[in-house]
Amino acid sequence: MNGSVGPMRVLVTGGSGLVGRAIERVVKKEGEEREGEEWIFLSSKEANLMSAEETRAAFEKHHPTHVIHLAAMVGGLFRNMRQNLDFWRYNVFINDNVLQAAHEFGVVKVVSCLSTCIFPDKTTYPIDETMIHNGPPHESNFGYAFAKRMIDVQNRAYFQQYGLRYTAVIPTNVFGPHDNFNIDDGHVLPGLIHKTYLAKKEGKPLQVWGSGRALRQFIYSLDLARLFLWVLREYDEVEPIILSGTRDVFDIVFLVGNGKADGQFKKTASNAKLRKYLPDFKFTPFRAAVKETCDWFVANYDAARK
Amino acid sequence: WSGSMDGSVGPMRVLVTGGSGLVGRAIERVVKEGGGREGEKWIFLSSKEANLVSAQETRAAFEKHRPTHVIHLAAMVGGLYRNMRQNLDFWRNNVHINDNVLNMSHEFGVVKVVSCLSTCVFPDKTTYPIDETMMHNGAPHDSNYGYAYAKRMIDVHNRALFQQYGRKYTAVIPTNMFGAHDNYNIEDGHVMPGLIHKTYLAKKEGKPLQVWGSGRALRQFIYSLDLARLFLWVLREYDEVEPIILSVGEEDELTVKDAVDAVVEAFGFEGEVIVSFHTNNFKFTPFKQAVKETCDWFAANYDTARK
């Protein structure tokens, strides 16, 4: 329970996704990996985490001491709206399988991944970590949102019953290489990147939907990855922590969507808690991060998920 | 496959999970006493027959009984202290039970499921009166949040089933229940059954009846047989997915003291009734001694006392 487990073996579920790849890069290429550590990046090909048996088999094979839990059933705006039951049930299974296997295999710490999209639809701003359960989430993806919220409930219950300090982070809008750049999904930046790429390639105008005045906070996947490592190593609370850039730098005035579902006007999240812990953390300048992502997209267009 | 969406399924086969509990037994009695209809079949399932935490055992029960309707009462329940210490178990086991029953119902084409929530799952910080729209408006009380969230998620699951498949599974929200076949454990913290047991013992042992709490706390009580009759109405007629509170009106709210009086009268208990505040560890000054101390002070301070 005090964390001294010898060398850390970190299992990253959802290892091949946007955040998983960023963590992999930060760990392997940017020197964040420490002596004796082992990092395992699990993808759905290796284990279907909706199955308790397959999850257990993955834990038996890798025997992690720590887990970064990123795996989830995700989908675009429209799939969510039509399949709230599947998004609720399958994510509850994935989360319960991973958290329970972690508990059974003596994992010292799990850091799961929530999202600002799960916060109450009707709320005051800025949103902070204490407000997650203060009202129903937006109707469009309530299945997904409640499943994510229940990670926090389960974390608190592991602490109450067993003293385990499993926790979670709450990133704002993430972007970066290896994203899913599907245009209809309703994720602001990857959709915009894809549309701009096509407009340029086809010599057509770039059409952006929405009032243009909606506000969002963004976080570059590599910055998020560095913060994930800090949470894994140093953050000691069970209560989750919002990971977001400062509002001044990252407000953006485009909203990509379509006429049917514009999304919320603003979802300002507070990063006061993060700033209390890490007053000097430097986020990648927004324009530089966007450029890197666009360059990656161009170089990997054929293989990119879209 | 056993039914179409409009409810016309031929004869109803109703599976009642948690059939041997307080509410299950009440429903069983109401059905036997004329609440059931021609051609209906009622099956009261207990945990001995199927452990609903297991997906396989739940499936086997559905395969065996092939219900068209389900009244889902089964849950992992416990007293106040067990809940406080085991929030994880109460969360996980109830989520599994509820998912197994709701998922099997959907898979087996059950036309309607009526699940059972509780007013104890509502937000801890809230305005009154509580209504059905307020259930998700804040965190539940800290003492049993595992159980409370698991119950709330029945409503989430119901709404998701409706959104994705058009199924009208729903739930009821009873207030404080009491009746025959309850769990009368005194430490559990359930008002009426605890009171009933304590009064019985006090009478049997010739001791005073000790009631904790100010006696002024207000509660809406619902008799299990009334609840059972309302359950049947919900099963047959209530058409919404949003849950419905089943309770006597606000005007019939009672104090715990009213409940004490009723139980004392019911048992013909003639011993002393002692109402003490909040905790069973606190030693109150004996009443007569406290009165003497007060009178002595008054006599000594007559001139300056406020009067």
Side-chain angles (χ1 to χ4, degrees), chain B residues 182-194:
Chain B
D182 205 344
N183 182 336
Y184 299 87
N185 184 292
I186 289 169
E187 265 92 44
D188 270 8
H190 290 160
V191 181
M192 286 294 284

Side-chain angles (χ1 to χ4, degrees), chain B residues 39-60:
Chain B
E40 274 177 7
K41 183 143 168 60
W42 286 77
I43 306 126
F44 293 86
L45 200 71
S46 86
S47 55
K48 290 185 204 59
E49 184 180 340
N51 172 16
L52 301 174
V53 175
S54 150
Q56 289 79 10
E57 291 197 38
T58 308
R59 181 183 293 275

